[in-house]
Amino acid sequence: MPVPAKVEAGTGQWVVQQGLTISVSGPDDPRVRSAAQRFVDHLSLQTGIPLRYLTAQPDKATIAISCDRPGEKVQKLGEDESYKLDVTATGAKLSAPTALGVIHGLQTLLQLVAPSSQGFAAPAVHIEDTPRFPWRGLLLDSCRHWMPIEVVKRTLDGMEAVKMNVLHFHLSENQGFRVESKKFPKLQEMGSGGHYYTQDQIKELIAYARDRGIRVIPEFDMPGHTTAWFVGYPELASAPGPYEIETKWGVFDPAMDPTKESTYKFLDKFIKEMTGLFPDEFFHLGGDEVNGKQWDANSEIQSFMKSHNMKTNEELQTYFTQRVVKIILKYKKTPVGWDEVLTPDVPKEVVVHSWRGPESEAKAVQQGNRALLSNGYYLDLAESAEEHYLNDPLGGDAAKLSPEQQKMILGGEACMWSEMVSAENVDSRIWPRAAAIAERLWSPAEVRDVDSMYARMEVESQRLETLGLTHHSALHAMKERLAPNHFEALRTFGSTVEPVKKYSRSGTHKYTTDAPLNRLPDAVPPESIEARKFSRLVDRIVAGNTSDDDIALARDTMIDWKLNHDRLSPAFQSSLLAEDAAVSQNLSTAATIGLQALDMLGSHASVPTGWANQQTAQLELMKKGQSELLLMVVAPIQKLVQAVGK
Amino acid sequence: MPVPAKVEAGTGQWVVQQGLTISVSGPDDPRVRSAAQRFVDHLSLQTGIPLRYLTAQPDKATIAISCDRPGEKVQKLGEDESYKLDVTATGAKLSAPTALGVIHGLQTLLQLVAPSSQGFAAPAVHIEDTPRFPWRGLLLDSCRHWMPIEVVKRTLDGMEAVKMNVLHFHLSENQGFRVESKKFPKLQEMGSGGHYYTQDQIKELIAYARDRGIRVIPEFDMPGHTTAWFVGYPELASAPGPYEIETKWGVFDPAMDPTKESTYKFLDKFIKEMTGLFPDEFFHLGGDEVNGKQWDANSEIQSFMKSHNMKTNEELQTYFTQRVVKIILKYKKTPVGWDEVLTPDVPKEVVVHSWRGPESEAKAVQQGNRALLSNGYYLDLAESAEEHYLNDPLGGDAAKLSPEQQKMILGGEACMWSEMVSAENVDSRIWPRAAAIAERLWSPAEVRDVDSMYARMEVESQRLETLGLTHHSALHAMKERLAPNHFEALRTFGSTVEPVKKYSRSGTHKYTTDAPLNRLPDAVPPESIEARKFSRLVDRIVAGNTSDDDIALARDTMIDWKLNHDRLSPAFQSSLLAEDAAVSQNLSTAATIGLQALDMLGSHASVPTGWANQQTAQLELMKKGQSELLLMVVAPIQKLVQAVGK
């Protein structure tokens, strides 16, 4: 995962054995050797076989790696990432134009290894692979919740595993300014609460990412989302200070003053410093969600607008954007901005990053700008992998573009906004769902089988945990913390629920930057794989396309749920879980109804009049979000009940 | 855990809340501030509440810490480790003579925190606590399997959590020499296969340990267990080389030549270097398991023995030990040796470390030597926490010593020998069972309730995982690796088995230093808590001291086991699991018999003649170790069957 562009199955398999050797031929690109070393370490983790990095001549090596030419000094958009991989009974040959293909091909080889009748083995296969889109990104928001450097590193490990190649690092926000500036040290000193990356750490992360075939682009969101800048530098704002670091969530009034030359002088120096720190060609200027209230209230800004014949705040923002774009271009970088920057006269160099809807993508291209899709890839909204997976950068309006225009759509980015995640559970919000997005952006467009994706995603999810991601283990520990003496029952209950979707959590408890994220909605994955499997099972039963095993499994599962509330009830004495008791009770009730339905379906006995409608109505109430949880197994139980009614 | 010396329950509880403050008063010991900082971090991990280290005046602080005097520059044996802790509704007061008591008291406070109806809270309590024994150690063998520095660090974290205070670092062996010597660099260069701690890393670990109230004592085992020394320095051996690093397990012939003055010259320089590196007062010289074969075969050694009137190899080893002891004393250290060093004329300074049996402890004391117990605390033998827990340093012969003599028994050490553990699963061999040993060595002798110990150990086990130990998560990942598509069924099966005990694993597969430890016996804990709980359940049922819930739980559990083999059987196609199929089949068969017995017990129906005896005999066969596994639930099922027979 992602599925390669071309796969031909061979016969036989290569069995992983101690003493395996590796050859590396081609130009001296340290990333190749480093990837090979990592391959050995990961293979050891994936098999439990102690392996060392042993070299051999290409004709004798178990894994023969060759690479044609050195890569670009700074990894470039569109740089060749292709590779060819041949697995035979004796080992594997991997060839690629650059180190990037080697990095990707080794991950493919690792994914092929599985337990077999001869030990851990990879099936014989011939693969020719290359990505569909050159920009396959993940946005990490280290501002709203601080993400320590270890979190960023393991996120990069996960990205490498699924062939993502851009870390979009969201580094400034109302709630925090997260990178050291030597020119303007009050940015981090007063705007970060002590949580920021030093320039040395940024360099370390960039090197770490480069080693894994990943570009790092910084985002400094402006002119809005800038409260944390103003704590140290209130003179940048459109209203007098003093300012404090924002602790709440939402869209706020503070915005830079686009009318003062001093703003651009500051930004020129700042962008000069940051374009020096971040070597990537692209530089993200943000540009989203300016509510304009500070501008409306500032008489000097109002007279500036009049004198410049600007009628709307959008025009004022366009003026600001054009000034900032010029600065970015002056420092030889290509600007990227959220889709608010897409106005008729936005410079053609700007890459438009679509977050509000897919339309702006096509519109940008038609205007001559390149574009990126993030709408539909927001990991923070707790939506299903399926929804993300079927969301295509060349779908919607973009499908109607000419092939030449479609090439201007560079790809997309999964977004991990961090209002409702902490460093503790962020892995569980990114993984494994980001792998589905990675496949959408890498694999051919026609790879769209959802069941196949889920089956492969489950295996990849385990592999990611083996490589050091904590999406499973952290949630396990969080549930143990909630119910030290009733963990198994909480696990059962937790497997049937999901957190409420989109932005609906923020309306319930009072969430701020400092609020604990330690309750059940934080400790369950955004998507319940168990509920999905149960739903599939019910689909088969209802369709009559079923077996005795299916029926037995459905029955056992629902018996377990029915009994679970009594098992779990002592844990609801804890104030952290108390609010979830009603949902747990609903699970038992729903399971009881489901068991009745299953019995009726099996016995073909007469069903009391109105029974199905009555139960359906009762179940309908249980589908509503409650205590920030959705009980995901109600809908399939409703299907069982409705099948009885037919 | 360990249970404090004196506990008085109060009324009410202290609720953990954001903004909690800490005061530290007393002398400037950096360990106090560092422990307080760690306390805040751990409390945050244990509750999910974001906390920062905020200070306040002692009368206003939530947690007021005071400490009377600075600790010793090098932590000393017997240094005061006591503390007093008062928890009230508003917070806690912790006072201690030295930083050591502060470190311990903060761990006690962390252990008191649990979910409550008001959030995470600690009950009001007054505690006065001090350890029973001054030496509460854990031996870590980094030689037979290499333990990276991260493993050592998290082991130290776990030791701090349960108030252990000595890391006994086993650093040289036939299979590897693990510390950098600058005087004799061929020791690590030729004797380690590249896996050794640099002197800087050793210093880092010693500082890390000191910060957690833990002394570090090195062991350089001699004159046997020394093959790895001889790879670089064959002239030390009693037979000509060349030597290679040993890869097999057992007792081997190579031993130092005790008759050459050059041996002692080498050891003088070496011990001088190492006593400089390790600041602790004690220095472990090993001294165990010399088979004497090289000495017997060496004519020069034989004539040396004749000329010195030595009749046995033991006498020769005593001569060697006395020479080495003199060197150690010259460098102002106190020698420790395994119980083989206990000969009638061993110097009184030597601390005798009992591993073969508890008798040598009492014998040592009677001879005027101090002693330590490790017999009965070998974590590598996969025995139950109960067995370790009930093993007392003042039990057996030691119980008959006078109170003055008993004071010469310093305590004990849990031993993690590493033939059959790797860095991947070593946590699961140490934890949580070492916590039971820690309690034996800290708490009053009369604290011996096994059920209470298990209940507390389970909670502490979860806390240890939260603090970064991987005893649970690593085994989870290993089972996923074995059966990516049948994890739940493997988990169920795995929860009913234990690895075979003592040294019986080594006789089956060919185990060497490099053999993969990636099969089921490696991926299950040494002790099955599930089997223990089931056994307790059956005890209640058989005794008639039971409830309907108990009967239902026993039935559900056995139904699950009965069905499990069919669920798991596809996974046995993997060669890594194939050998376990018969044991899994036995689980299903045993559960089927158990269900029949439960039915018969409930129905009071007549039982076919001979049924119980027949089933008992069939079950008896299943109790034998098979594929290095023991099916632990057979014995309680036998009890059910026998109850039917009565």
Side-chain angles (χ1 to χ4, degrees), chain A residues 186-214:
Chain A
K186 284 190 280 180
L187 284 171
Q188 73 273 12
E189 284 166 11
M190 299 178 70
S192 75
H195 282 149
Y196 63 90
Y197 309 104
T198 64
Q199 295 206 356
D200 281 345
Q201 287 174 326
I202 292 286
K203 286 175 196 160
E204 184 188 338
L205 286 173
I206 290 169
Y208 193 91
R210 174 175 167 79
D211 219 30
R212 285 154 182 78
I214 299 166

Side-chain angles (χ1 to χ4, degrees), chain B residues 154-348:
Chain B
R154 62 179 193 246
T155 301
L156 290 165
D157 292 339
M159 291 173 69
E160 179 192 27
V162 298
K163 304 185 174 62
M164 291 178 118
N165 69 353
V166 180
L167 176 70
H168 173 161
F169 218 170
H170 186 77
L171 288 167
S172 68
E173 254 308 336
N174 299 313
Q175 292 85 4
F177 190 96
R178 303 295 182 206
V179 65
E180 175 192 22
S181 167
K182 293 184 178 175
K183 294 277 174 207
F184 302 106
K186 283 191 281 180
L187 285 171
Q188 74 272 13
E189 283 166 12
M190 299 178 70
S192 77
H195 282 148
Y196 64 91
Y197 309 105
T198 65
Q199 296 206 354
D200 281 345
Q201 287 174 326
I202 291 285
K203 285 175 196 160
E204 184 188 340
L205 286 173
I206 290 169
Y208 193 92
R210 174 175 167 80
D211 219 29
R212 285 154 181 78
I214 298 166
R215 299 159 41 212
V216 177
I217 80 159
E219 177 185 351
F220 296 99
D221 202 351
M222 51 184 112
H225 287 277
T226 38
T227 309
W229 304 55
F230 303 156
V231 184
Y233 300 93
E235 61 273 23
L236 290 172
S238 303
Y243 289 87
E244 284 184 1
I245 296 174
E246 184 57 61
T247 61
K248 295 196 267 334
W249 308 128
V251 175
F252 299 94
D253 302 346
M256 288 181 182
D257 187 338
T259 69
K260 283 196 216 146
E261 282 310 303
S262 57
T263 301
Y264 302 107
K265 273 193 194 150
F266 182 102
L267 288 176
D268 189 298
K269 278 191 200 162
F270 176 77
I271 290 171
K272 183 180 180 188
E273 183 183 15
M274 290 301 146
T275 52
L277 180 60
F278 290 90
D280 197 77
E281 179 197 341
F282 293 85
F283 193 90
H284 207 300
L285 58 86
D288 58 319
E289 295 186 326
V290 182
N291 70 14
K293 286 189 190 168
Q294 279 199 347
W295 295 346
D296 295 340
N298 180 322
S299 58
E300 285 174 45
I301 291 179
Q302 291 305 312
S303 47
F304 178 93
M305 286 173 71
K306 252 179 224 156
S307 68
H308 286 71
N309 204 20
M310 296 175 184
K311 292 193 187 78
T312 64
N313 285 330
E314 285 68 33
E315 287 174 76
L316 182 59
Q317 188 176 344
T318 302
Y319 168 79
F320 174 84
T321 303
Q322 289 180 336
R323 295 285 306 260
V324 174
V325 162
K326 259 187 213 159
I327 300 171
I328 295 172
L329 291 171
K330 179 171 124 189
Y331 293 113
K332 312 276 184 236
K333 300 286 180 182
T334 302
V336 188
W338 295 110
D339 52 16
E340 282 93 335
V341 305
L342 180 63
T343 53
D345 38 7
V346 68
K348 297 291 168 269

Side-chain angles (χ1 to χ4, degrees), chain A residues 343-464:
Chain A
T343 52
D345 37 8
V346 69
K348 297 289 168 269
E349 293 89 347
V350 176
V351 176
V352 175
H353 193 166
S354 156
W355 74 277
R356 291 182 300 190
E359 312 75 33
S360 55
E361 232 192 352
K363 207 171 134 197
V365 168
Q366 279 155 347
Q367 239 182 257
N369 292 74
R370 292 180 294 177
L372 278 176
L373 184 65
S374 275
N375 179 271
Y377 296 141
Y378 269 34
L379 296 168
D380 54 314
L381 303 185
E383 293 176 324
S384 71
E386 176 172 1
E387 286 170 89
H388 298 314
Y389 188 62
L390 296 178
N391 184 49
D392 198 304
L394 297 183
D397 291 353
K400 298 168 207 152
L401 298 171
S402 73
E404 276 315 300
Q405 285 176 318
Q406 289 191 339
K407 276 189 193 150
M408 293 175 70
I409 292 180
L410 303 175
E413 284 185 5
C415 291
M416 185 69 262
W417 300 109
S418 63
E419 282 94 341
M420 295 302 300
V421 300
S422 66
E424 184 175 35
N425 71 352
V426 65
D427 286 14
S428 74
R429 274 50 193 152
I430 302 177
W431 310 108
R433 292 177 306 149
I437 300 173
E439 176 158 300
R440 174 57 44 234
L441 297 173
W442 177 285
S443 302
E446 57 274 20
V447 175
R448 290 176 70 84
D449 184 311
V450 172
D451 284 340
S452 158
M453 180 276 286
Y454 273 100
R456 289 178 291 107
M457 189 176 74
E458 258 193 276
V459 174
E460 184 63 7
S461 177
Q462 292 177 13
R463 190 174 83 96
L464 289 168

Side-chain angles (χ1 to χ4, degrees), chain A residues 18 45-48 50 52 115-119 193 195 462 472 476 480-481 484 488 491 514 518 573-575, chain B residues 18 45-48 50 52 115-119 193 195 462 472 476 480-481 484 488 491 514 516 518 573-575:
Chain A
Q18 277 175 316
L45 283 172
Q46 282 181 223
T47 60
R52 294 196 174 209
S116 83
S117 62
Q118 296 170 277
H195 282 149
Q462 292 177 13
H472 170 82
H476 184 106
E480 280 191 334
R481 189 166 72 192
E488 284 299 332
R491 197 174 79 104
D514 224 25
N518 62 355
Q573 285 167 20
S574 157
S575 66
Chain B
Q18 278 175 317
L45 283 171
Q46 283 181 222
T47 60
R52 295 197 172 207
S116 82
S117 61
Q118 297 170 276
H195 282 148
Q462 293 176 12
H472 170 81
H476 184 106
E480 280 191 335
R481 188 167 72 193
E488 286 297 333
R491 197 174 78 104
D514 224 26
N518 63 354
Q573 286 166 18
S574 156
S575 65

Side-chain angles (χ1 to χ4, degrees), chain A residues 31-241:
Chain A
R31 290 177 298 176
V32 174
R33 162 70 197 255
S34 162
Q37 175 73 59
R38 243 177 5 258
F39 169 82
V40 172
D41 293 344
H42 286 178
L43 190 60
S44 209
L45 283 172
Q46 282 181 223
T47 60
I49 301 172
L51 298 171
R52 294 196 174 209
Y53 186 83
L54 303 172
T55 56
Q57 289 304 308
D59 54 335
K60 291 188 182 157
T62 323
I63 315 283
I65 300 169
S66 67
C67 177
D68 298 343
R69 56 174 192 267
E72 302 283 345
K73 283 211 171 154
V74 174
Q75 188 181 326
K76 261 197 176 160
L77 175 70
E79 200 177 334
D80 195 330
E81 300 182 90
S82 70
Y83 66 91
K84 287 184 194 172
L85 175 67
D86 279 287
V87 181
T88 62
T90 54
K93 285 197 199 317
L94 172 64
S95 61
T98 75
L100 300 175
V102 172
I103 292 166
H104 297 321
L106 288 174
Q107 289 298 323
T108 301
L109 183 52
L110 285 171
Q111 289 178 333
L112 290 170
V113 172
S116 83
S117 62
Q118 296 170 277
F120 285 96
V125 72
H126 170 77
I127 289 175
E128 291 180 27
D129 201 8
T130 192
R132 181 173 167 221
F133 293 104
W135 189 306
R136 305 177 305 282
L138 173 70
L139 175 149
L140 185 66
D141 173 4
S142 287
C143 301
R144 291 175 171 93
H145 274 92
W146 168 243
M147 299 296 159
I149 195 161
E150 301 76 34
V151 173
V152 184
K153 283 189 178 172
R154 62 179 193 246
T155 301
L156 290 164
D157 292 339
M159 291 173 69
E160 179 192 26
V162 298
K163 305 186 173 64
M164 292 178 117
N165 69 354
V166 179
L167 176 70
H168 172 160
F169 219 171
H170 186 77
L171 288 168
S172 67
E173 254 308 335
N174 300 311
Q175 292 85 3
F177 190 96
R178 302 296 181 204
V179 65
E180 175 191 22
S181 167
K182 294 185 177 173
K183 295 276 176 209
F184 302 105
K186 284 190 280 180
L187 284 171
Q188 73 273 12
E189 284 166 11
M190 299 178 70
S192 75
H195 282 149
Y196 63 90
Y197 309 104
T198 64
Q199 295 206 356
D200 281 345
Q201 287 174 326
I202 292 286
K203 286 175 196 160
E204 184 188 338
L205 286 173
I206 290 169
Y208 193 91
R210 174 175 167 79
D211 219 30
R212 285 154 182 78
I214 299 166
R215 299 160 42 214
V216 178
I217 79 158
E219 176 186 352
F220 296 99
D221 201 352
M222 52 183 112
H225 287 275
T226 39
T227 309
W229 305 55
F230 302 157
V231 183
Y233 300 94
E235 62 273 21
L236 290 171
S238 304

